Amino acid sequence: MNEKVPVIEMRDVTKVFPGVIANDHINLAVHEGEVLGLLGENGAGKSVLMSILYGLYQPTEGEIFVRGKPVAITGPKVAIEQGIGMVHQHFMLVPVFTVAENIVLGDEPITNVGTLNTAKAVNEIKALSEKYNLEVDPHAKIEDISVGMGQRVEILKTMYRGAQVLILDEPTAVLTPQEIKGLFEIMHSLTEAGFPVIFISHKLKELMEVCDRVTVIRRGKMIGTIDIEDASPQILASMMVGRDVVLEVEKKPSQPKEVVLEVENIHAVGLNDLPVLNGVSFKVHAGEIVGIAGVAGNGQSELIEVITGLHKANSGDVRLNNETITNHSAKEIIHKGIATIPEDRHHRGLVLDFSIADNGVLGSHDQPPFARWIQRMFDAIRAYADKFIQEFDVRTPNQEAQVKNLSGGNQQKVIIAREIGRKPDLLIAAQPTRGVDVGAIEFIHRRIIEQRDAGKAVLVISNELDEVMGLSDRILVMFHGEIVGEILAKDATEDELGLYMAGAKRNTPSSPKEVSK
Amino acid sequence: MEILFSVLTVSLFAATIRSATPLVLAALGGIFSERSGIVNIALEGIMLIGAFFAMMISFYANQYGLPPLVSALTGMVGAMVFGFLISMIHAVVSIRFRADQVVGGVAINILALGLTGFLLQLIFETSGNSPSVPNLAAMPIPILASIPILGGIFFNQSPIVYVALLAVPISSFVLFRTPLGLRLRAVGEHPKAADTVGVNVFRLRYLGVGLSGVLAGLAGSYLSLGQLNIFTENMTNGRGFIALAAVIFGKWNPWGAFGACLLFGFADAIQISLQNAGVNIPSDFLLMLPYILTLVALAGFIGRSRPPAAAGVSYEK
């Protein structure tokens, strides 16, 4: 271990919000040239802790030392002066400004007459981006660049201000696998140049890959710091969750029965009338989980929307229990027995400003027992909310809390409780664990498998290959709006699926049913 | 057709500039406010306050023996001060107390109408027109005013017109060429991003709203001291809202808004000219012209006009 004075040390930092102890005597130290992982579930207090370090919150108790000297970080300005740079999970970039304007904002180089010196800004940025190998286009507008470049802009922003420590708050959540690799290379070159990096994440694989040490917090409490040589994903997971976690999905072989959903030769167009679905056909049986894999943007989203009545099919047929539901209204389709966990819970799944109780009955809000005639039945709604909060372990002070104040995992649990509560014949789960922590992932996976074992048909769509492979009994691969491959999950390998996903291989069986049996 | 050509004279274009001036000043104010993230529909009320206090201060300054021109200039400055003070009500309500900015603006418009009417009654014991006061009439600029055509249109005007014409490039310069402008726009687009790099969001928003107060107050003073020499009840008559339309029409850009104001000013001027030329169109219809133009402009023939992303959204740390 490093005996030198840590670059940043937080000692006994406590933050109390009304009614909640977000951080309870947390200790953390990061040394020159190391990557310190900060691990915890959503809502464990990682972001609060880092916000304290960056001066966005003031600690209730405790001290912060920068290179051995105590400092009171009263605002982001002080943090910047102390050489602390933070890349926020949600980028702090002005979309209509250029890369250069965003980087210099608040610390602008000026000309002799006091105007913005854009040329100087661009030159400084070019120099920095070469020095740290962070490729950006200073003249491009933020709204036109990729997420990966946006992240490099954020890192350059901190470097421009002379950062000596870099905090990365969940930096990989929004990146593609290739961009994640690029980010890790950047982190390596930074630590080689002596910069310590604090890497906040709940993705165990990534922490194992880049960190030297990992500090774990759970529900605001310090659990400990572990050297990466002594750690494993299993150890980290149990430190984070507080019990042994099953990282692999465990399930019995499926017992497929009658066909519940039949999709036949669906064609649909998207933006600008470009074809997005080109003759998709498949079946889902009761008692099986069918997974759809594919690179995002190959028609998966539109397929779900067609099935659930949110997107018009130009031709083809969707049948539920042998009854045509093609292009029926979303409401009708829900009542016919399809429940959906939508891929974007903020956009489609929840009314963020509504309470947990109200979100819990959305879609059934006009049905008994939650409504009678034109009147909402609040007793029934409240009783139902209490029941599912208990049953699905939604962590919230009470059922009146607005869902926007819940963590991602808890928001997702509200949706899953609601959708499973409909007692559907078919459950569609799109990106069911996106932005959800390990403990909740395990919980959600178990719930989905329970539905299958109860004899429901389940359709899972996910960009995470691990998830599709772990959950499904049968895997379909989508490419350019078509189903290009079908494999039984037990025979599937990542490599083979990858070939289908890239469009380099195809097999379209004439009768899916025979394959599944 | 002949009548149409006969009205296209230097005096028509000079009248266009005169009609556009209060719109230009108020629109520039609106741009500063909205660029900083505060929707300011109180421009109308602030203008009215400016118009009233310009008149009142000019009146009293003259009573106390100041020469007419000095009295009028004092009135003009007073209008800016009172415009600023009224705008600070809007600023505190929407920035400090995070109230709905549209509701706050409406309240100020109603307040201004009531307050000016009340003060007119209280101080001057009249309910229509104030007494005449020293004003800022046309002041030809030597040499420039003698340029053919252009001199007559631009350089034989009230001093406030000159201020308005200068304010356009200055505003554009401040917004797009200086660090201050960059920060002001940043807090209107993404206040949190500005906050995390140490830019004081609240201070810049107060500045944006304050500038809108000063400029709208000045716009008001032009109504009572530039175009006339009296204050009449509700003399703004919707100009603040037309200025707001010009902000949107001009895509929150000073030059764009200037162009929109000229268009509205032209519609107003030609309406008067056509009436004077005895065109056989009902005057009521001609009076509608500027407003119809505003509606057409807002209905989107300008194409996509994107407001500052955080305009109307209060910022909470």
Side-chain angles (χ1 to χ4, degrees):
Chain A
M1 275 276 321
N2 203 327
E3 294 304 319
K4 281 194 285 185
V5 180
V7 180
I8 299 283
E9 188 179 2
M10 299 180 85
R11 247 185 243 166
D12 282 327
V13 170
T14 299
K15 177 70 187 174
V16 182
F17 288 115
V20 199
I21 302 175
N23 287 155
D24 189 359
H25 296 276
I26 306 281
N27 290 296
L28 170 156
V30 59
H31 298 82
E32 210 142 278
E34 74 167 349
V35 177
L36 176 73
L38 182 56
L39 173 66
E41 291 192 276
N42 289 321
K46 301 175 305 239
S47 288
V48 171
L49 188 67
M50 288 303 111
S51 296
I52 290 171
L53 185 52
Y54 196 63
L56 294 167
Y57 292 131
Q58 298 310 309
T60 315
E61 256 179 67
E63 276 183 298
I64 299 170
F65 297 83
V66 177
R67 295 190 191 280
K69 268 183 244 147
V71 260
I73 299 178
T74 50
K77 228 175 171 158
V78 180
I80 293 167
E81 280 162 18
Q82 293 295 332
I84 300 168
M86 180 154 173
V87 175
H88 301 262
Q89 186 178 3
H90 303 286
F91 291 167
M92 292 295 159
L93 298 172
V94 181
V96 296
F97 282 12
T98 64
V99 167
E101 285 172 330
N102 268 288
I103 291 175
V104 300
L105 177 66
D107 191 11
E108 305 87 353
I110 52 171
T111 61
N112 297 332
V113 289
T115 59
L116 206 60
N117 194 339
T118 315
K120 192 175 172 201
V122 168
N123 284 337
E124 282 183 32
I125 290 161
K126 279 191 176 149
L128 277 174
S129 83
E130 265 165 43
K131 188 171 164 194
Y132 297 108
N133 201 17
L134 294 160
E135 192 219 327
V136 296
D137 173 4
H139 300 287
K141 274 197 182 169
I142 297 296
E143 58 191 354
D144 300 328
I145 66 178
S146 68
V147 183
M149 189 183 284
Q151 196 151 53
R152 294 198 287 276
V153 174
E154 283 280 28
I155 296 173
L156 276 174
K157 237 168 97 179
T158 66
M159 297 291 150
Y160 176 80
R161 289 169 170 73
Q164 287 161 9
V165 191
L166 196 61
I167 306 167
L168 299 170
D169 188 1
E170 309 249 359
T172 59
V174 288
L175 299 183
T176 65
Q178 287 77 9
E179 285 174 326
I180 292 175
K181 253 187 207 144
L183 176 70
F184 288 172
E185 278 164 25
I186 292 167
M187 287 168 66
H188 276 301
S189 59
L190 289 176
T191 46
E192 262 165 40
F195 287 95
V197 175
I198 301 178
F199 178 72
I200 306 176
S201 183
H202 57 248
K203 294 192 182 166
L204 306 170
K205 257 203 223 157
E206 292 173 1
L207 287 160
M208 292 298 300
E209 193 175 335
V210 288
C211 297
D212 299 302
R213 293 184 305 140
V214 177
T215 294
V216 186
I217 55 179
R218 186 198 316 148
R219 296 198 191 185
K221 285 200 172 64
M222 175 86 193
I223 302 303
T225 300
I226 182 170
D227 282 349
I228 211 70
E229 291 87 53
D230 307 333
S232 72
Q234 208 38 259
I235 293 172
L236 289 177
S238 52
M239 280 175 83
M240 167 168 74
V241 183
R243 61 185 160 81
D244 286 334
V245 181
V246 189
L247 292 174
E248 296 280 305
V249 185
E250 280 175 5
K251 62 181 201 300
K252 298 186 295 256
S254 67
Q255 316 261 310
K257 296 185 186 72
E258 74 283 0
V259 174
V260 173
L261 176 76
E262 188 168 6
V263 174
E264 202 180 310
N265 203 20
I266 286 284
H267 287 262
V269 293
L271 222 55
N272 302 328
D273 280 343
L274 293 173
V276 285
L277 294 176
N278 307 313
V280 174
S281 305
F282 65 93
K283 291 174 187 168
V284 185
H285 301 80
E288 74 167 342
I289 299 179
V290 172
I292 295 185
V295 178
N298 274 293
Q300 301 95 316
S301 307
E302 289 81 2
L303 178 61
I304 308 163
E305 291 184 352
V306 165
I307 298 172
T308 53
L310 298 170
H311 192 111
K312 187 173 167 283
N314 293 44
S315 66
D317 211 10
V318 182
R319 284 186 294 273
L320 183 72
N321 297 325
N322 277 324
E323 194 183 338
T324 294
I325 54 164
T326 326
N327 294 334
H328 285 207
S329 76
K331 182 171 172 169
E332 243 175 289
I333 291 172
I334 288 173
H335 293 319
K336 287 255 157 62
I338 295 185
T340 313
I341 300 163
E343 53 182 343
D344 182 345
R345 59 178 163 266
H346 290 173
H347 183 56
R348 282 267 159 83
L350 296 165
V351 182
L352 291 174
D353 289 328
F354 279 13
S355 67
I356 294 175
D358 285 342
N359 272 289
V361 298
L362 278 184
S364 317
H365 55 279
D366 58 347
Q367 304 287 317
F370 305 126
R372 202 166 56 197
W373 294 93
I374 57 164
Q375 193 189 3
R376 302 184 63 202
M377 306 308 287
F378 289 104
D379 287 345
I381 294 168
R382 279 190 212 109
Y384 181 67
D386 282 335
K387 193 173 133 238
F388 80 71
I389 286 172
Q390 181 87 40
E391 208 174 304
F392 285 80
D393 189 28
V394 181
R395 310 254 167 89
T396 169
N398 57 61
Q399 52 155 280
E400 291 307 316
Q402 291 180 325
V403 289
K404 68 175 173 197
N405 295 327
L406 300 183
S407 71
N410 283 313
Q411 290 178 346
Q412 195 71 347
K413 285 179 186 171
V414 172
I415 296 180
I416 291 169
R418 177 181 77 209
E419 297 305 323
I420 290 180
R422 291 193 211 291
K423 305 203 163 48
D425 295 329
L426 171 71
L427 175 68
I428 299 176
Q431 319 294 352
T433 58
R434 179 187 277 177
V436 167
D437 49 61
V438 174
I441 289 175
E442 185 200 2
F443 182 89
I444 290 168
H445 283 171
R446 250 192 297 125
R447 289 294 170 153
I448 291 175
I449 292 166
E450 262 172 39
Q451 288 299 300
R452 180 200 76 169
D453 292 345
K456 316 282 187 188
V458 181
L459 182 62
V460 172
I461 292 95
S462 176
N463 294 342
E464 308 265 346
L465 208 47
D466 287 349
E467 180 161 57
V468 175
M469 293 174 69
L471 276 178
S472 313
D473 300 310
R474 190 151 61 88
I475 300 174
L476 306 172
V477 185
M478 272 189 94
F479 178 72
H480 284 187
E482 284 179 78
I483 301 228
V484 294
E486 169 165 3
I487 316 176
L488 289 181
K490 60 180 170 55
D491 306 331
T493 65
E494 217 165 295
D495 288 340
E496 192 187 2
L497 287 172
L499 288 177
Y500 285 113
M501 286 163 70
K505 191 177 174 187
R506 54 192 302 158
N507 90 50
T508 8
S510 44
S511 171
K513 181 146 189 184
E514 274 152 34
V515 177
S516 68
K517 283 273 158 115
Chain B
M1 213 54 194
E2 256 167 56
I3 286 182
L4 201 62
F5 280 117
S6 76
V7 299
L8 285 172
T9 59
V10 166
S11 73
L12 173 73
F13 290 107
T16 297
I17 298 291
R18 283 198 297 276
S19 295
T21 292
L23 303 179
V24 170
L25 288 167
L28 291 176
I31 289 173
F32 278 114
S33 182
E34 301 217 342
R35 281 283 188 174
S36 79
I38 305 293
V39 170
N40 192 350
I41 67 159
L43 290 176
E44 172 84 5
I46 301 173
M47 272 172 95
L48 193 61
I49 292 279
F52 178 83
F53 282 97
M55 176 280 295
M56 192 188 91
I57 291 166
S58 177
F59 178 83
Y60 280 112
N62 193 236
Q63 289 256 302
Y64 284 107
L66 291 179
L69 183 62
V70 178
S71 303
L73 283 173
T74 315
M76 183 187 90
V77 173
M80 289 154 77
V81 172
F82 277 91
F84 174 77
L85 292 176
I86 288 291
S87 75
M88 281 301 109
I89 298 178
H90 186 51
V92 171
V93 165
S94 30
I95 301 168
R96 170 118 171 64
F97 295 106
R98 299 192 286 273
D100 186 286
Q101 296 165 14
V102 172
V103 174
V106 168
I108 287 179
N109 288 335
I110 297 169
L111 169 79
L113 192 59
L115 183 69
T116 51
F118 170 69
L119 290 176
L120 193 63
Q121 186 72 45
L122 187 76
I123 299 171
F124 300 101
E125 291 172 352
T126 162
S127 65
N129 299 344
S130 77
S132 322
V133 297
N135 70 347
L136 290 163
M139 240 186 247
I141 299 178
I143 305 169
L144 290 178
S146 53
I147 302 172
I149 303 176
L150 287 185
I153 296 175
F154 291 107
F155 302 116
N156 188 7
Q157 299 276 16
S158 162
I160 301 175
V161 174
Y162 305 143
V163 174
L165 292 176
L166 281 175
V168 177
I170 293 173
S171 301
S172 181
F173 180 83
V174 169
L175 275 175
F176 298 111
R177 292 271 176 272
T178 66
L180 178 72
L182 187 72
R183 293 175 190 191
L184 190 88
R185 287 184 289 130
V187 301
E189 290 286 348
H190 195 333
K192 188 133 202 218
D195 197 15
T196 52
V197 290
V199 170
N200 191 325
V201 176
F202 298 127
R203 197 186 296 162
L204 279 163
R205 289 192 161 182
Y206 276 108
L207 177 74
V209 179
L211 279 173
S212 80
V214 170
L215 287 163
L218 183 62
S221 77
Y222 181 73
L223 297 177
S224 57
L225 300 185
Q227 289 180 337
L228 300 170
N229 58 357
I230 55 168
F231 173 84
T232 67
E233 248 191 286
N234 191 26
M235 76 187 304
T236 45
N237 200 17
R239 283 185 182 80
F241 295 109
I242 297 186
L244 269 182
V247 170
I248 299 166
F249 196 3
K251 303 188 177 181
W252 288 266
N253 180 309
W255 285 109
F258 180 61
C261 292
L262 286 182
L263 189 66
F264 295 146
F266 181 72
D268 194 34
I270 202 159
Q271 169 262 121
I272 296 167
S273 294
L274 288 175
Q275 269 190 58
N276 291 345
V279 176
N280 202 8
I281 301 173
S283 63
D284 295 328
F285 183 79
L286 291 175
L287 281 170
M288 283 168 16
L289 209 59
Y291 303 95
I292 290 174
L293 207 58
T294 307
L295 283 176
V296 172
L298 288 181
F301 99 96
I302 45 171
R304 203 171 64 119
S305 181
R306 185 165 62 176
V313 187
S314 351
Y315 182 62
E316 207 167 341
K317 282 221 176 196

